[in-house]
Amino acid sequence: MVDVILGLQWGDEGKGKIVDYFAPGYDVVARFQGGPNAGHTLYVNGQKVVLHQIPSGIFHADKINLIGNGVVLDPVTLMKECATVASMGVDYKKNLFISQRAHFILPTHRALDKASELQKGTDKIGSTLKGIGPAYMDKTGRNGLRIGDLLDKSFTSQYIKLRLKHQRLLDNYNFQEDISSWEDEFFEAVEMLRSFNIVNGEYFINNQIAQGKRVLAEGAQGSMLDVDFGTFPFVTSSNTITAGVCSGLGIAPQNIKEVFGVSKAYCTRVGGGPFPTELHDETGELIRKTGSEFGSTTGRPRRCGWIDLVALKFACMINGVTQIIMTKADILDALPELKVCHSYSINGVETNEVPFQMNKLDIVPVYESFEGWQCDSSAISTYENLPVKMKEYVQHLNQHLQVPVTHISNGPGRDQIVKA
Ligand code: GDP
Ligand code: IMO
Ligand code: MG
């Protein structure tokens, strides 16, 4: 049996916290796509930690954590993360497993990511510069190196071949930076990786399922960043949606039961691309400040705006969401008025559908206003004690999306979550 937790917006919905919260009910937590572009924040005994590639179940000693084949892995970042979790008492050599089919992010992938972004003018993707796009390009272009290739004698010669190919591309970009220190770090990390649990991920996870173990698939990024269904070309390079779980872990779709979709009570986006409900005023500024909306991976300020039910309904449809987890409700505590976008007006025509080429359209969000609850909600632990106005807001989402909001997160802490 497999359940899924994934983001319904443009990432940073609070997936890390939610995975950590649900992990006790599972035996395996598995990442199925993305790489160190992800930044998943957890609070463990009051200490903040940001995970990039290690699944967010790692702080539960009895859980298996799998990095699936759909992930692109940077060994340098991984070693840093391992050092962090080890300093917090985690025995990662025991409960972290890596699929041999996961692809490497090479130093040149990072350089190519940077070079390609530098070359773009005003239409920058605003990538995390972690080498994600180039690594997935090498995967689909049938060039990439996989974790299992480490065991081949030809690993270094394969690397050198790819390195030459990448150098030609870098020369075309006129990229001058010296990346030899990145390469030194890379090979050092690759050596360390040899002592990790590198497994045949698809047999590994299917054996777990056959034994009746419960698997939680942890999404990275968000549905609106999906390479097929997101706001292309302002997207990431993987399938962030439920379908990605099957290809990213090697499991059949009928194993998937619950799909928990995580959404903020408002909306954020980091990097370039369309964002119809973005606020450019003091309310947007207030949300950014109150919600500490700065990227967990890059530190960039996140763009903030009202919740977008057109995009959310679309994400529920594409993912088959069975339950919604609404996060950061507490961030709206002080606001006297909240707005909810139900439809888009495009050239005077109203639509409830996410349009093709969103970036080329002038989209005016059509809002309904709600009264804010204007009280501190962060210490409340039962649904009945939540402010009436917050419950009305939640009920409105239930009705509109036709998917129940089953949990409301009202603070970053492990215990700050209310069951509806
Ligand atoms: P992820 O990428 O989806 O895991 O989300 P991030 O960790 O990048 O960003 C979410 C941020 O919001 C983190 O700093 C979390 O600690 C924080 N957070 C998560 N849920 C809540 C919540 O309900 N209230 C508040 N105030 N903060 C939250
Ligand atoms: P988590 O898992 C928010 C965004 C980048 C950029 C675009 C492409 O923490 O929710 P990439 O480096 O993937 O090629 O960048 O996607 N992006 C994210 N935004 N949260 C993330 O991950 C993101 N991962 C990538 O800002 O706009
Ligand atoms: Mg994040």
Side-chain angles (χ1 to χ4, degrees):
M1 193 281 300
V2 181
D3 290 343
V4 184
I5 291 182
L6 45 70
L8 297 180
Q9 299 169 311
W10 281 280
D12 303 327
E13 297 89 349
K15 299 173 292 292
K17 170 192 160 155
I18 301 304
V19 171
D20 178 51
Y21 168 78
F22 278 105
Y26 295 85
D27 302 292
V28 182
V29 180
R31 278 279 305 271
F32 58 94
Q33 46 69 233
N37 49 348
H40 295 180
T41 312
L42 282 66
Y43 280 84
V44 184
N45 303 322
Q47 190 181 337
K48 179 179 167 172
V49 55
V50 181
L51 296 174
H52 301 286
Q53 299 175 110
I54 297 179
S56 299
I58 198 74
F59 291 101
H60 301 269
D62 55 335
K63 309 300 171 200
I64 287 172
N65 288 268
L66 175 68
I67 296 178
N69 59 277
V71 170
V72 285
L73 190 72
D74 184 334
V76 179
T77 319
L78 181 70
M79 294 314 153
K80 286 185 189 146
E81 272 181 75
C82 285
T84 303
V85 300
S87 74
M88 295 171 73
V90 171
D91 184 2
Y92 63 84
K93 285 274 167 78
K94 191 174 130 242
N95 59 3
L96 179 65
F97 295 78
I98 304 172
S99 166
Q100 60 192 0
R101 292 185 192 270
H103 277 245
F104 271 110
I105 297 179
L106 306 176
T108 40
H109 288 141
R110 281 164 56 202
L112 283 165
D113 199 358
K114 197 169 174 186
S116 137
E117 282 286 275
L118 282 175
Q119 192 217 30
K120 288 194 175 104
T122 50
D123 55 348
K124 278 190 179 24
I125 306 290
S127 101
T128 58
L129 304 180
K130 301 293 175 191
I132 306 296
Y136 277 115
M137 278 161 76
D138 267 342
K139 173 177 173 172
T140 50
R142 298 163 295 187
N143 284 314
L145 277 171
R146 297 180 295 174
I147 305 303
D149 294 334
L150 252 187
L151 308 173
D152 281 356
K153 277 202 218 81
S154 62
F155 182 77
T156 312
S157 63
Q158 277 180 273
Y159 175 87
I160 291 167
K161 242 165 91 182
L162 213 47
R163 173 78 173 87
L164 285 171
K165 219 177 212 165
H166 290 163
Q167 191 57 53
R168 284 195 288 275
L169 296 170
L170 288 169
D171 290 345
N172 275 344
Y173 281 123
N174 199 18
F175 185 81
Q176 305 285 357
E177 238 173 279
D178 176 16
I179 61 162
S180 55
S181 66
W182 295 6
E183 289 190 299
D184 294 345
E185 278 182 339
F186 175 79
F187 278 105
E188 206 176 297
V190 161
E191 280 315 304
M192 290 164 83
L193 200 57
R194 289 181 194 278
S195 64
F196 278 58
N197 302 303
I198 298 171
V199 294
N200 183 319
E202 56 279 19
Y203 280 108
F204 182 86
I205 202 142
N206 280 290
N207 283 337
Q208 295 283 336
I209 294 169
Q211 286 167 34
K213 298 285 169 64
R214 292 166 60 90
V215 176
L216 183 59
E218 172 180 4
Q221 290 78 58
S223 305
M224 298 308 286
L225 288 171
D226 179 89
V227 65
D228 281 277
F229 299 105
T231 47
F232 191 88
F234 299 91
V235 292
T236 190
S237 300
S238 64
N239 282 118
T240 60
I241 57 173
T242 308
V245 176
C246 296
S247 56
L249 292 176
I251 59 152
Q254 57 266 41
N255 289 306
I256 297 175
K257 298 291 183 284
E258 293 295 319
V259 179
F260 300 97
V262 188
S263 166
K264 281 176 184 164
Y266 50 96
C267 203
T268 64
R269 168 162 213 170
V270 59
F275 181 4
T277 61
E278 182 170 12
L279 289 167
H280 298 280
D281 58 8
E282 63 279 10
T283 307
E285 195 54 51
L286 184 73
I287 293 175
R288 178 159 42 249
K289 232 174 116 190
T290 317
S292 310
E293 295 294 358
F294 296 88
S296 312
T297 299
T298 58
R300 293 176 291 176
R302 294 177 185 146
R303 301 153 65 191
C304 299
W306 299 120
I307 198 162
D308 179 345
L309 297 192
V310 180
L312 263 188
K313 207 172 171 121
F314 174 78
C316 287
M317 171 179 81
I318 298 290
N319 288 301
V321 173
T322 59
Q323 304 185 36
I324 293 174
I325 319 288
M326 188 176 92
T327 56
K328 304 193 91 161
D330 54 304
I331 302 307
L332 302 181
D333 279 354
L335 296 177
E337 184 196 21
L338 310 175
K339 287 187 183 174
V340 170
C341 168
H342 285 131
S343 56
Y344 300 150
S345 174
I346 305 169
N347 298 328
V349 180
E350 213 167 307
T351 177
N352 298 312
E353 295 188 358
V354 171
F356 179 64
Q357 289 189 330
M358 226 172 168
N359 52 315
K360 294 192 179 159
L361 299 170
D362 187 13
I363 299 175
V364 181
V366 181
Y367 289 116
E368 187 176 334
S369 282
F370 286 78
E371 265 179 64
W373 41 91
Q374 293 196 277
C375 64
D376 180 357
S377 69
S378 65
I380 300 173
S381 57
T382 62
Y383 185 75
E384 63 171 348
N385 287 339
L386 286 178
V388 174
K389 298 285 177 208
M390 190 195 284
K391 287 193 266 197
E392 283 173 13
Y393 188 78
V394 167
Q395 276 155 17
H396 182 78
L397 300 193
N398 286 339
Q399 264 167 17
H400 190 89
L401 299 169
Q402 291 292 299
V403 182
V405 174
T406 57
H407 296 75
I408 298 149
S409 172
N410 55 345
R414 244 184 199 172
D415 306 327
Q416 288 175 296
I417 189 160
V418 175
K419 281 190 200 156

